[in-house]
Amino acid sequence: MRLATIATARGPRLHVRARSGYVDAGEAAGDERLSSLQHVLAAAVPAPPRILCLGLNYSEHALEGGRAVPTWPDAFVRGSDSVLAPYADLVKPALTSKFDYEAELGIVIGAGGRYIRAEKALDAIAGFVVVNDASCRDWQRAASQWTAGKNFTGSMPIGPEVVTTDEVDVSDLAISSTLNGTVMQSARTSQMLVSVPAAVEFFSSFTCLAPGDVIATGTPGGVGFARTPPVWMEPGDVIEVTVEDIGTIRNRVVAEDGGPDDWRWRPAGSPGGGL
């Protein structure tokens, strides 16, 4: 089953993809409760309560950044306001000059729980989505923690559908990013250091996974900062992220309107930075 929350004149409503196109679930069933993914799956995508992220989960990406291949999962958290719709304009923040792309597979938690063993992980998952973990590298690298560079408002496009676990096997899918028609990243999910079941098991070790949580499973090599010269997303660019059998998200990059010129907090490398 493929589920999508679609903006309508009546507001965001849950739709199910059928052979003839998308069908409004609430209207078709005569039950308005079914107009929300929250009710159907006890999930909140496209507004997940939090996004639990794996960093450096592909060897090539770790090595291209000058890091050792990790032997322990490198985890961080995104807030819900960093989420963006799958085809919305992606705003390049005024405070960065190093806006990067990251193609990722996302896991949408359904039943959730604590201490979920890998062999039971699928029982806790509602489905899968495509994610672009867009990052402000100057902010990310200004300190030892990644929170700021990974949490600019509306910087993580996600979607376009929640594809349920009965429809797709995500153990070995092609994943790619394309910038203005040029392929930048190309890998397979089988190359992840921490697999989907292992990721669910890991995060449930220290937190109770809740319905609607999303786990972003990390990006493969080929990101912009590691290229010579570096490649950054700029206003006017179009960035696409595709995961085989899940879908494609596509976002046009636009400049932030109204960013302050005299803002104090600008890391070295950002416009006017050097604090």
Side-chain angles (χ1 to χ4, degrees):
M1 184 182 298
R2 291 174 178 260
L3 305 171
T5 300
I6 297 176
T8 73
R10 299 164 64 187
R13 294 181 64 85
L14 179 66
H15 287 64
V16 179
R17 184 154 49 145
R19 291 180 181 177
S20 59
Y22 286 108
V23 176
D24 186 304
E27 287 185 357
D31 185 346
E32 281 300 294
R33 293 177 301 172
L34 300 182
S35 66
S36 167
L37 185 60
Q38 216 165 1
H39 178 79
V40 175
L41 292 178
V45 172
R50 60 180 174 173
I51 306 97
L52 303 166
C53 305
L54 287 173
L56 310 177
N57 199 28
Y58 289 76
S59 297
E60 185 182 3
H61 179 51
L63 295 172
E64 71 179 357
R67 300 171 182 266
V69 176
T71 57
W72 182 264
D74 206 328
F76 60 97
V77 179
R78 271 182 174 264
S80 59
D81 76 336
S82 70
V83 169
L84 185 72
Y87 308 117
D89 286 347
L90 176 58
V91 177
K92 178 188 175 185
L95 301 181
T96 187
S97 60
K98 298 180 178 180
F99 198 33
D100 209 347
Y101 51 84
E102 292 194 6
E104 305 198 14
L105 169 70
I107 305 166
V108 181
I109 298 300
R114 185 83 190 278
Y115 296 118
I116 303 166
R117 297 194 183 275
E119 57 269 24
K120 297 291 187 180
L122 286 182
D123 295 339
I125 296 172
F128 304 96
V129 290
V130 183
V131 168
N132 181 358
D133 181 23
S135 306
C136 298
R137 298 297 188 193
D138 36 11
W139 283 76
Q140 181 184 353
R141 291 167 173 260
S144 61
Q145 302 298 313
W146 296 2
T147 300
K150 295 285 191 176
N151 274 278
F152 275 78
T153 299
S155 61
M156 178 180 265
I158 185 170
E161 301 169 319
V162 178
V163 182
T164 54
T165 58
D166 60 332
E167 184 161 323
V168 63
D169 177 359
V170 298
S171 61
D172 185 32
L173 299 178
I175 180 171
S176 65
S177 64
T178 302
L179 184 64
N180 299 326
T182 299
V183 175
M184 309 302 286
Q185 297 173 281
S186 181
R188 300 196 69 84
T189 57
S190 55
Q191 296 172 257
M192 291 194 297
L193 300 173
V194 179
S195 67
V196 165
V200 172
E201 184 178 69
F202 169 72
F203 282 109
S204 74
S205 301
F206 62 85
T207 188
C208 184
L209 296 177
D213 283 345
V214 170
I215 297 174
T217 58
T219 198
V223 296
F225 83 81
R227 293 178 172 271
T228 306
V231 175
W232 308 116
M233 294 189 293
E234 300 289 352
D237 288 345
V238 175
I239 181 70
E240 296 179 284
V241 175
T242 299
V243 180
E244 180 184 7
D245 293 339
I246 306 294
T248 298
I249 56 176
R250 181 182 304 102
N251 302 90
R252 180 173 64 105
V253 182
V254 299
E256 181 179 358
D257 184 21
D261 294 328
D262 59 348
W263 197 249
R264 174 188 177 192
W265 297 99
R266 296 174 182 262
S270 66
L275 183 68

